[in-house]
Amino acid sequence: DGVLPGEEVTGEVLDEKASYGELRLQSVRVPSPERLEPQCPFFGKCGGCSLQFMKEETQLDAKKKGIRQVFSKNAGIDPGEPELVVSPVSSGYRRCIRLSTLFDTRHKVLLVGLRARGSHDIVPVDDCMVLTDALRAEVKSGRITKVLNAFTDPKVIGHIEFSEADNGIFLLVRIKNSLPEKERDLLQSYEKESGVTVYTDSGDGQGAVPVREGAAVPFYTVRGVRITYLPGDFIQVNGKVNEEMVGTVEKWLAPTKDDELLDLFAGAGNFTYPLAALSKRAVGAEIVSDMVKHGRANAGYSGIANAEFVRVDLSKAFSSESFSTGSYSLAVLDPGRSGADVAVKYIAGKKSVRRFVYVSCNPVMAARDLAGLLGHGWKLSKWGMFNMFPETEHVETVVLLSREKQNG
């Protein structure tokens, strides 16, 4: 961890096996020519951006080799070189950030920052180089930390989430009970001073609620389609890479007006709506109620009327659900880190599906999910690597699977 090939280092041995060992790096005696001096003052303290010591080309090469090794080990196939590698920028790309909080009982102050590496401690931060310019400026201002410390009981604050939408900056404050009037006034004053639209979530089942009536609802645009969401909902953190990724899925699936498309783990329609615009019909399936609600509402915002959304738990068998009987010829799966074992088996058994794309932030689970298909009626046609999270070890992998033609 933190060492480049060919370097001479000193460190503490944590574990030693017959074929490998684990070392905690202490110092680099002879550095690699590929090593960089990290520019972030929080490098090594904050748990993010662990690859800042590597040149961009080295990072990309390491990620590419890692994905190929993962597929070789878990799926029994080397996918070869990726069809494309997308990595437009390494800083100023992140359009959302979650900041943790911890009340320091000794100093009677609420700490706001990022989780420390390898622990639950908080590293207070007043800057973050990977944020968009607008988000970075707001974090550097320190305004929200002062406001939260003015709460009657700051310990009720869970964490906060900033996101930059096409229509401004939004903030979600997660609290452990209903919002008292004093705290509401504080947050409304913060809105006026900062221009940030504030929502709160008290965990009472209502979800994200604005602190003032008539507040704007955030949205972003992908492939010319407007997608609304609520603060706290999952969205892809890198808008530029997301645009490229959705465009690539469009190109690889190549839907026509004869195709019916199924989007599993659809969120609020990041893939569903751009693909519906090119298809006969598209169905998005998602478990999170608020995202299904916004997915349905996005039909009106986008002007695309041939998409529908259903709420379903895709981690359990769903072949009895009415939507599953559709004559889908194309499909997209974009699961979380836990993978999509049940959904992949459903797609594999759906004879009408000719091609599908698996989008994954966890290549290990992607390889495991797809292992049973490869060589058994399906082939890996191409794959791409989308560097959604530069300076980190994470990466988005997009794989196109095609049904093999039967002999005879």
Side-chain angles (χ1 to χ4, degrees):
D1 188 13
V3 181
L4 293 170
E7 291 188 325
E8 185 177 317
V9 302
T10 59
E12 176 189 358
V13 176
L14 302 177
D15 194 11
E16 193 169 0
K17 305 292 185 183
S19 58
Y20 71 94
E22 187 176 347
L23 185 86
R24 178 182 288 123
L25 178 66
Q26 293 176 332
S27 65
V28 179
R29 296 175 60 181
V30 180
S32 163
E34 301 302 310
R35 178 173 288 275
L36 295 175
E37 186 65 31
Q39 298 301 302
C40 177
F42 304 105
F43 178 78
K45 302 172 186 175
C46 158
C49 298
S50 59
L51 302 185
Q52 271 195 22
F53 68 97
M54 300 168 64
K55 291 181 179 179
E56 182 181 1
E57 312 84 63
T58 308
Q59 290 185 34
L60 293 174
D61 189 55
K63 291 180 180 184
K64 181 172 62 176
K65 288 179 179 177
I67 293 170
R68 293 181 65 174
Q69 290 172 355
V70 160
F71 269 81
S72 294
K73 178 180 179 180
N74 294 283
I77 180 175
D78 181 355
E81 288 293 308
E83 179 82 6
L84 77 168
V85 175
V86 176
S87 183
V89 291
S90 59
S91 63
Y93 68 83
R94 192 177 182 95
R95 60 181 174 182
C96 50
I97 184 173
R98 173 184 290 193
L99 296 174
S100 300
T101 64
L102 179 67
F103 189 75
D104 183 340
T105 55
R106 180 181 176 186
H107 298 97
K108 304 294 190 234
V109 65
L110 184 75
L111 303 177
V112 180
L114 297 166
R115 292 289 182 189
R117 185 172 183 136
S119 82
H120 293 293
D121 293 340
I122 301 296
V123 179
V125 296
D126 56 6
D127 194 8
C128 183
M129 296 172 61
V130 296
L131 293 180
T132 61
D133 290 344
L135 280 185
R136 187 177 181 183
E138 186 55 37
V139 169
K140 290 177 75 171
S141 77
R143 284 184 289 226
I144 190 59
T145 300
K146 294 176 183 177
V147 170
L148 297 180
N149 271 285
F151 273 34
T152 303
D153 182 10
K155 294 190 292 295
V156 303
I157 300 166
H159 65 261
I160 64 175
E161 300 176 49
F162 281 105
S163 67
E164 183 180 3
D166 287 6
N167 56 332
I169 296 178
F170 290 78
L171 171 66
L172 177 70
V173 180
R174 293 193 184 274
I175 54 178
K176 299 173 184 176
N177 51 37
S178 58
L179 188 68
E181 200 59 37
K182 176 197 170 185
E183 277 68 17
R184 184 180 302 278
D185 290 344
L186 285 169
L187 291 174
Q188 288 178 344
S189 296
Y190 167 73
E191 279 194 325
K192 293 177 182 177
E193 179 187 358
S194 65
V196 174
T197 303
V198 182
Y199 283 65
T200 61
D201 187 341
S202 60
D204 59 1
Q206 294 186 60
V209 178
V211 297
R212 60 179 173 82
E213 292 185 6
V217 176
F219 69 90
Y220 67 89
T221 305
V222 58
R223 307 296 292 174
V225 178
R226 174 174 164 172
I227 305 293
T228 62
Y229 64 97
L230 277 180
D233 284 347
F234 171 81
I235 61 170
Q236 294 289 2
V237 302
N238 192 323
K240 291 182 179 179
V241 173
N242 185 55
E243 179 77 15
E244 294 273 0
M245 186 171 69
V246 175
T248 297
V249 172
E250 285 182 359
K251 180 180 177 181
W252 287 3
L253 286 180
T256 72
K257 290 301 182 180
D258 294 324
D259 289 308
E260 294 191 21
L261 181 137
L262 180 61
D263 182 7
L264 300 177
F265 310 93
N270 188 59
F271 288 105
T272 317
Y273 280 101
L275 290 167
L278 305 172
S279 308
K280 176 182 179 181
R281 170 176 174 255
V283 175
E286 169 62 47
I287 189 173
V288 181
S289 298
D290 281 341
M291 300 202 82
V292 172
K293 176 182 175 181
H294 280 279
R296 290 169 177 164
N298 283 329
Y301 295 126
S302 66
I304 298 172
N306 64 332
E308 58 187 271
F309 275 74
V310 295
R311 183 180 182 275
V312 62
D313 184 352
L314 296 171
S315 68
K316 301 175 182 178
F318 56 88
S319 57
S320 62
E321 300 283 344
S322 59
F323 81 90
S324 70
T325 61
S327 301
Y328 307 111
S329 51
L330 305 172
V332 179
L333 285 74
D334 184 12
R337 295 192 62 80
S338 59
D341 178 58
V342 173
V344 167
K345 289 176 180 176
Y346 163 80
I347 293 295
K350 192 75 173 173
K351 299 300 183 183
S352 59
V353 176
R354 306 189 315 273
R355 294 185 299 278
F356 76 94
V357 165
Y358 191 115
V359 181
S360 177
C361 60
N362 185 350
V364 173
M365 291 308 302
R368 290 177 181 173
D369 285 346
L370 300 176
L373 277 64
L374 300 174
H376 296 84
W378 293 87
K379 65 178 181 179
L380 193 158
S381 298
K382 59 182 75 173
W383 73 284
M385 189 176 84
F386 293 79
N387 200 23
M388 189 73 72
F389 322 94
E391 311 289 14
T392 78
E393 61 195 43
H394 304 292
V395 67
E396 205 82 7
T397 308
V398 178
V399 183
L400 174 65
L401 281 294
S402 304
R403 194 180 290 277
E404 294 179 322
K405 295 181 179 179
Q406 301 296 317
N407 294 327

